[in-house]
């Protein structure tokens, strides 16, 4: 096993509609082939024009947006709505939030974060000639455990799940539950280097096993079908 | 923001009952003050004599153990049981598993993983004079998303949750949802360097913000009270 490094990428400008994230990230970061570049959803939503104006005076003015972005409401308590988005994610307030967004606006999730990740990956390859994997991350809560963690909502150039079913464990026995959600673990690892109160929306994870790289997709690999889900 | 490093610690012997994990880890790893040492539950359970004999010929012989270790069954489907353990964790099969355990045995969770973490931390400080934080990690599934990730089931010397409520975001506005479960993110980050098919049950995360260090406790900080939980 090799060491991994988590490298924050500071120095990105404030992102606006139409900004070319691939070029900006390639300029700000010292990227290398095989790096995993984790990009927070917020700057992707800004670049892709997913900001929506809300009424600053009304603390609930983003709630109709939450209903619009949801295909199914799972739970409500007070102002909190847990719902399933059109992408299949189950999260609070349909992933819409107001922090690190200009006052008077709410940021919706990207329409297709796997596609967003592919665009950034292709852009970095095309413009800088560097072959990286890209993960789009967002901050989700979870049942049963307090606190939020970052997870992947899109990826490109990396498998979302590492399938170890059938591989021998360290004692040579066949592994049991062994589909590891490596893109979620990578999103969490990157968050540790980004912080939430500083403006570092990109981090590089360097040193991942080259076997992890390849075609991958969060919506197809990670999103659990409602029929397979015991908590929906 | 500084770089983080994730450093696997290979070379530990096969762990048996009564082994002094603190000494073994301090000998195998190049530890430094401020490191976060992530230790997988399996070797803690082995050292703490939490292995239980099962019938090798009966693939369901660990199921009575699952019921014994559970205080409440949430869901059953086929052989899978999702339950709440006496510690308050909600997970599959009460955290009992058979991989990386000698054939004919099942490993129960430690009785009190926060205490286990404190013991290892105190042992490393006492024997090697190095002040580290310790996280005991385990591999849990989750609803809505396929694949497993590593989370913390115990910690010492580090806050489990980083409370950013009220801190300004990068645009100077007050943050909204901002209790970050850093011990879970650290457990996930460490897993990336350990792998599941190799025998590397310990990894070091180096370079964490010194503000994260201090008193912490997974059961008190992370476990959500059933009354506050929308999915129980």
């Amino acid at each position: 096993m090799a060491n991994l490094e988590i490298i924050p990428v500071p120095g990105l400008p404030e992102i606006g509609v139409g900004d070319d994230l691939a070029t900006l990230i390639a300029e700000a970061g010292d990227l290398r082939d095989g790096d995993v570049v984790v990009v927070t959803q917020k700057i992707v939503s800004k670049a892709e024009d997913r900001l929506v104006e809300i009424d600053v005076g009304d603390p609930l003015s983003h709630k109709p947006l939450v209903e619009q972005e949801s295909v199914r409401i799972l739970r409500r308590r007070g102002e909190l709505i847990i719902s399933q988005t059109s992408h299949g994610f189950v999260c609070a307030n349909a992933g819409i939030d107001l922090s690190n967004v200009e006052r008077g606006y709410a940021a919706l999730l990207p329409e297709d974060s796997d596609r967003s990740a592919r665009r950034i990956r292709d852009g970095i390859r095309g413009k800088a000639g560097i072959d990286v994997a890209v993960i789009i991350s967002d901050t989700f809560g979870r049942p049963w455990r307090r606190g939020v963690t970052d997870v992947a909502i899109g990826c490109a150039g990396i498998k979302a799940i590492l399938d170890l079913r059938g591989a021998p464990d360290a004692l040579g026995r066949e592994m049991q539950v062994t589909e590891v959600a490596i893109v979620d673990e990578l999103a969490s690892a990157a968050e540790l280097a980004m912080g939430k109160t500083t403006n570092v929306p990109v981090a590089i994870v360097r040193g991942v096993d080259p076997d992890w790289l390849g075609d991958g997709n969060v919506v197809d690999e990670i999103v659990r079908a409602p029929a397979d889900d015991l908590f929906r």
Side-chain angles (χ1 to χ4, degrees), chain A residues 34-212:
Chain A
D35 281 350
V36 179
V37 178
V38 181
V39 182
T40 50
Q41 161 270 324
K42 197 66 53 69
I43 64 168
V44 178
S45 292
K46 287 177 179 174
E48 295 183 356
D49 200 12
R50 297 284 285 163
L51 296 199
V52 176
E53 218 168 330
I54 54 169
D55 177 357
V56 182
D58 175 5
L60 296 179
S61 67
H62 63 294
K63 289 293 164 184
L65 290 174
V66 172
E67 309 226 355
Q68 167 201 306
E69 294 291 303
S70 301
V71 297
R72 184 176 163 189
I73 307 284
L74 273 71
R75 297 282 191 282
R76 284 178 198 268
R77 182 179 288 184
E79 292 179 21
L80 177 67
I81 295 176
I82 310 289
S83 68
Q84 178 181 330
T85 70
S86 56
H87 327 83
F89 302 128
V90 175
C91 56
N93 295 327
I96 295 170
D97 79 285
L98 314 180
S99 58
N100 287 314
V101 175
E102 201 188 326
R103 199 170 168 77
Y105 289 87
L108 311 186
L109 292 184
E111 282 183 2
D112 179 344
S113 297
D114 286 310
R115 187 181 61 195
S116 307
R118 280 196 303 277
R119 271 194 202 138
I120 296 171
R121 168 173 152 76
D122 291 347
I124 290 172
R125 196 167 39 185
K127 275 151 190 158
I130 306 169
D131 193 6
V132 299
V134 172
I135 292 172
I136 313 294
S137 68
D138 199 6
T139 304
F140 281 9
R142 58 264 167 96
W144 313 324
R145 297 176 76 83
R146 292 181 57 224
V148 294
T149 63
D150 272 22
V151 298
I153 60 171
C155 72
I158 185 165
K159 298 165 193 167
I161 298 252
L162 200 62
D163 190 348
L164 300 174
R165 284 177 303 183
D169 67 16
L171 296 175
R173 297 202 12 218
E174 193 172 297
M175 300 280 289
Q176 300 179 300
V177 180
T178 37
E179 292 194 288
V180 183
I182 48 172
V183 288
D184 286 338
E185 294 192 327
L186 286 161
S188 281
E191 198 282 321
L192 294 166
M194 289 176 182
K196 290 240 177 304
T197 58
T198 54
N199 202 7
V200 180
V202 176
I204 299 163
V205 183
R206 180 164 294 160
V208 305
D209 189 332
D211 285 347
W212 299 358

